[in-house]
Amino acid sequence: MSRKQVVLLAVLALLVLAVAWLARSNRQPPFLPQDADHASFEGAEACLKCHGPDGPYPQSRSHPTGFDCIRCHGTR
C-alpha cells in the first residue's frame, strides 16, 4: 500500500469516527410511548408516579432536572 493510500484510509477512518460521534451526541429524547399508560397526559405529577425516584421506572441519574415532561418528550 502506498503512502497516499494509507493517508487516505486514515482520513476516511477519522471522518467515519467524527460522523458517528456527532450522530451519537445529537440524540433527541424519546417520544411518549403510544400505550394505555401514556394515552392521556395529565401533567408532570402523573409522570412522576412511575418515573419519580420511588417509582417502578425512575429517571436515570443523568436525566436533566425539571418537570415539563411534554416539552422534551412530545407526543407524535
Side-chain angles (χ1 to χ4, degrees):
M1 210 188 275
S2 73
R3 182 180 169 127
K4 260 186 176 179
Q5 289 174 325
V6 170
V7 170
L8 181 61
L9 186 60
V11 168
L12 287 175
L14 287 174
L15 183 62
V16 167
L17 288 173
V19 168
W21 179 78
L22 286 172
R24 173 94 173 121
S25 65
N26 193 21
R27 292 180 33 192
Q28 297 295 317
F31 286 109
L32 290 177
Q34 295 180 334
D35 59 10
D37 293 332
H38 298 91
S40 62
F41 178 77
E42 298 172 4
E45 298 81 25
C47 295
L48 293 176
K49 288 178 187 173
C50 290
H51 301 292
D54 298 326
Y57 306 103
Q59 297 171 350
S60 68
R61 292 178 189 234
S62 63
H63 191 279
T65 57
F67 302 109
D68 188 10
C69 306
I70 204 71
R71 186 183 83 213
C72 296
H73 302 284
T75 58
R76 292 180 203 184

